Amino acid sequence: MNLLFICSRNLWRSPTAEAIYKSHPEYSVKSAGTEPSARIRVNAKLINWADVIFVMEKRHKGRITEKFPAETEGKVIHVLDIEIG
């Protein structure tokens, strides 16, 4: 199963989640960010690759569903409610 973790800049939250699950034998894991300054920026290819998407905040879900409506349609997207601060 392919898991994609998304936060804003792909610096702390989503890379941490990726690191936690990276060695799990049943999952392939990647992370990305929604901001232009993200270390790895979310794109259509990553969303298409993912079976399940985890976003750190509700606004991240809004951003990806707005920017990638076709790719996110029917995707399982979980909001983790992990804010910075």
Side-chain angles (χ1 to χ4, degrees):
M1 179 177 290
N2 296 333
L3 308 180
L4 177 60
F5 291 93
I6 297 174
C7 67
S8 296
R9 293 182 41 216
N10 191 231
L11 292 177
W12 298 106
R13 296 175 288 175
S14 58
T16 299
E18 179 181 9
I20 290 169
Y21 287 95
K22 194 125 189 132
S23 62
H24 194 287
E26 295 178 28
Y27 303 129
S28 293
V29 186
K30 295 182 181 183
S31 66
T34 60
E35 295 293 321
S37 61
R39 186 178 61 88
I40 298 170
R41 194 161 180 207
V42 68
N43 57 49
K45 184 177 178 180
L46 282 172
I47 292 172
N48 285 328
W49 170 86
D51 296 311
V52 180
I53 299 170
F54 296 91
V55 296
M56 300 299 150
E57 300 176 43
K58 191 184 302 182
R59 67 187 171 115
H60 299 130
K61 181 177 180 178
R63 286 179 183 165
I64 65 169
T65 57
E66 183 179 304
K67 186 165 183 177
F68 306 103
E71 292 83 359
T72 55
E73 187 173 337
K75 288 282 182 177
V76 177
I77 303 173
H78 295 284
V79 179
L80 300 175
D81 287 321
I82 302 173
E83 295 186 21
I84 291 181

